[in-house]
Structure formats: C-alpha cells, structure tokens
Amino acid sequence: MLRCRKVRRLISARLDGELDERRWTAATRHLARCRGCRAFADEAARLADALNLVQAPEARWGFAGRVLAQLPDEQPAPSSIQRLVELLRPAPVGVGTAAFCLGVGAAFLLNGANGGLNGDLAASDQAITEVAGDYAAVFAEAAIEQDLRALFPDVEG
Amino acid sequence: MVAAGRGDREAFADLIERHQGAVIQFIFRFLGTVGRDTAEDLAQDVFLKAWTSARSYRPKAKVLTWLLHLARNTALNYRRGQRLRRTVPLEHAGERAAAGPADAGAASAERAAEVQAAIAALPDKQRATIILRHYLGLAYTDIAETQGVSIAAVESLLFRARDSLRTSLGPPQRKDESAPQVSAPSGAEHLREDKVPCCDVERSED
C-alpha cells in the first residue's frame, strides 16, 4: 500500500496533469480508504484559487526598447573561459585522451630513467636520467605551450 | 536566439517581446518584496546578460527556460546584495497593493497578502518551482531544465510547496462548493479537517 506522503505527491502531480493513469490508479486505491489524503486532494485543488489572488504586473510599454537602448554596439567577444568551453565541447574525448597520453608518456620517460639507477652503471644512468628529465620537461612545456596557443590564439607571447 | 547570437537586434527585440512578461513576473513573484520598477530593472539585467552570452547559447535548451534560469540567478544575486547591505526593501508598497485586482475587496486583498507572505516563506527552490508551474504554466520537463533538477525532484518540490502553503494558509476559502479538480472519491467534503492526519487509512487491506 502506498504511503500518504507518496500519494499526496501523486495528487499534486495529478493536479498539474503530469501523472499517468497507471500511477493514478494506484493512488486512487489509497484515496478510497484514507480521509487525510482525500482532504489533501480537496485542499490542494482549492489552493489554486488562493494563489490566483496574488497578481503580478505586466511589462510597461516600451520595455523592449529600453533594453535595446542599453545593448552595447557590438556583442562582446567570448571570454577566454567561454572559448575554452567551446573548444572542449566538440571533442571532450580527444582532449581527455591527449591529456592522458601526455601524462603517461612523461611518466614512462621518468620511470624508465629512474629504474636504471639500480644498475651497475649508476653514474651513466644518472646522466641519462638528467637528460631524460630535461627532455621530458622540455617536451611537456612545448606541449602545454602548443595547447595554450591553440586555446588562446589571440594572446601574445 | 541563434540570430541574436549573430548580433541581430531585431531578432533580439522579438525575443524580448515574447518573453518579457514571464521574466518580469517570475522576478516579481520570486523576490516578493520588490516593486514593479525593481522587477523591470532586474528583468533588463536578465536580457542584457542574455545578449552578452547569446553566442554561447545552445539550441538544445529552450529560450524561455534559459532566460528564467538567468532570471532566477539574477534575483538571487539581487537578494544577496540586499542582505549584505542589510536593508529591507520597502519600496513601492502602494504600487504593490495596486498590483492586485482592481475590484478586489478588502477581504480578498488581505487574503492575497497572506498568500503572498506564505509564498515568500517557502524555500527558494520550492518557491521558484511553484511560480514556474502555477503562474507561468511550465511543464515539469521545462521546470526541471530551468531549475537544473530531475523531473522527480520537480514533482517532490511541488508537493512540498503545496503542502507548506496548505498548512500555512489554513483551510481554503470556499467561493463555491464545486468538487476538486482531482477525482477524489466522494465523501471528502465532510471529512475535511484543519489538521489533516497522515496515514489515517480507514481500513488497510492491501
């Protein structure tokens, strides 16, 4: 058996014409036995009359003209954030994949270099690590710069 | 709206004409304590925001629900600003009274004030939802889009709003003895009580 709270929610939806017959049928079975929910149905239906007592003003004549007079001569260019959203919108998977590959690549380079430190050629590996580290840093910077230039082509420097 | 996004002022003027009433009415009712001038000023802000962000508008959202979403945020920001300044907007009290029906008697004006106060006492989401549904006639899907919630949440918000209003307003005034819109079983009339019991099922069989 449906509980009163659930039934009253269904009654509210029924008043708005947003309840299908199947759900309403279940509610009517409860209503046949519950005087509290019947009273709720009655009062909720009459509530509309009370709400209609509160009036709101119409727009004054010339409202649209006053808004148009305040519009800037040209629509502002989209902000950096808006452009970023526009860029990310069509290809979220591609951008995500690129970011993931960039991260995995950098981690692979660094991890591979670090792993060599345990070998006999520690000194040599150290040098390789430094070179790899530098390379990874340069690569990462270049990739980030490229991404930023694509995102903000108008920005100088 | 797409045309407005390309800078077409004529298209934007049409859009304002179509939706100005809904936007002004929503702001007026949602804030509850402002006069017509403030509601119009805030509605102007809404349309200016719409113009400046028209390029980012996506046709998947209905224009009206998008505008009402902007209107809700604008109204909330306005109220936040009012609170920060710790001022109570008492403006246009006469104007607000004049917004009532011209032929309304003192009793119904008093009742209207009670109803207005009861609506104003609702939590923001419930208040916005009952305004969108009852006064602007939006479907649940459109309310869900405006409010950024699910349809089930809209259903729940409307029920809670109606329940709160019913409780705070007491038994409704009966202009006539017509039956309620929902097809409740007969016999409800003599059972109506000020305090409606919950789960007062007369006989539980199922």
Side-chain angles (χ1 to χ4, degrees):
Chain A
M1 176 118 184
L2 292 173
R3 292 190 63 80
C4 289
R5 191 175 173 80
K6 172 73 176 170
V7 169
R8 291 173 191 194
R9 188 171 144 171
L10 296 180
I11 291 167
S12 171
R14 176 75 174 186
L15 285 169
D16 294 327
E18 297 260 2
L19 192 70
D20 58 59
E21 284 304 317
R22 184 184 58 79
R23 292 168 79 200
W24 180 236
T25 304
T28 51
R29 281 202 292 273
H30 176 100
L31 273 169
R33 295 179 183 84
C34 180
R35 62 177 177 174
C37 287
R38 285 201 297 274
F40 176 87
D42 182 17
E43 291 181 7
R46 290 173 192 281
L47 185 64
D49 290 336
L51 291 176
N52 286 337
L53 289 173
V54 183
Q55 303 291 303
E58 298 286 317
R60 284 198 186 93
W61 187 86
F63 175 82
R66 288 196 295 280
V67 176
L68 290 174
Q70 289 185 44
L71 297 182
D73 290 339
E74 288 191 13
Q75 274 180 321
S79 67
S80 301
I81 298 296
Q82 282 175 328
R83 277 186 289 175
L84 182 62
V85 170
E86 286 301 302
L87 279 167
L88 294 178
R89 196 194 302 273
V93 177
V95 171
T97 308
F100 177 76
C101 291
L102 197 67
V104 169
F108 177 76
L109 281 172
L110 291 170
N111 192 41
N114 285 336
L117 285 173
N118 295 327
D120 294 330
L121 301 171
S124 173
D125 282 343
Q126 179 66 36
I128 292 169
T129 304
E130 284 171 7
V131 171
D134 290 343
Y135 178 77
V138 169
F139 174 75
E141 275 180 20
I144 290 167
E145 188 179 348
Q146 196 177 359
D147 286 346
L148 287 173
R149 283 193 184 285
L151 293 173
F152 309 110
D154 298 335
V155 177
E156 294 292 325
Chain B
M1 193 65 213
V2 176
R6 292 193 297 265
D8 185 339
R9 283 168 181 263
E10 212 167 296
F12 194 64
D14 287 345
L15 183 141
I16 297 171
E17 293 284 357
R18 255 199 326 275
H19 300 301
Q20 61 188 13
V23 171
I24 291 172
Q25 188 180 165
F26 177 82
I27 291 170
F28 183 84
R29 292 187 187 282
F30 184 75
L31 288 173
T33 52
V34 299
R36 181 184 197 164
D37 287 345
T38 305
E40 280 200 11
D41 287 348
L42 292 172
Q44 280 191 25
D45 288 348
V46 169
F47 285 108
L48 288 173
K49 278 179 200 165
W51 172 258
T52 53
S53 50
R55 284 184 182 179
S56 60
Y57 169 75
R58 286 288 160 275
K60 71 175 182 180
K62 285 186 182 170
V63 176
L64 179 59
T65 59
W66 183 61
L67 288 171
L68 290 170
H69 180 77
L70 292 178
R72 193 196 61 170
N73 290 346
T74 303
L76 285 172
N77 284 340
Y78 171 81
R79 202 184 54 192
R80 208 169 292 135
Q82 291 290 309
R83 279 183 184 162
L84 286 175
R85 283 195 286 277
R86 293 185 178 188
T87 58
V88 181
L90 295 171
E91 52 169 331
H92 311 298
E95 192 179 298
R96 168 161 283 282
D103 59 347
S108 70
E110 195 179 318
R111 180 68 173 168
E114 283 173 19
V115 175
Q116 179 65 49
I119 294 171
L122 292 173
D124 286 344
K125 275 199 170 177
Q126 287 182 32
R127 189 165 67 257
T129 308
I130 197 85
I131 291 168
L132 293 170
R133 174 62 217 173
H134 183 81
Y135 295 109
L136 301 183
L138 263 62
Y140 280 17
T141 47
D142 294 336
I143 298 172
E145 198 173 282
T146 304
Q147 296 270 66
V149 298
S150 67
I151 291 173
V154 171
E155 198 176 284
S156 176
L157 284 165
L158 280 169
F159 155 64
R160 283 188 277 146
R162 286 186 169 121
D163 202 32
S164 297
L165 290 171
R166 190 181 60 87
T167 306
S168 56
L169 291 172
Q173 287 178 332
R174 294 177 155 212
K175 284 188 291 189
D176 55 58
E177 290 299 313
S178 60
Q181 293 301 305
V182 287
S183 50
S186 61
E189 301 297 310
H190 69 283
L191 293 170
R192 204 157 55 78
E193 298 165 4
D194 289 356
K195 299 276 184 186
V196 177
C198 187
C199 289
D200 183 15
V201 179
E202 287 152 8
R203 197 160 60 91
S204 137
E205 288 178 350
D206 46 357

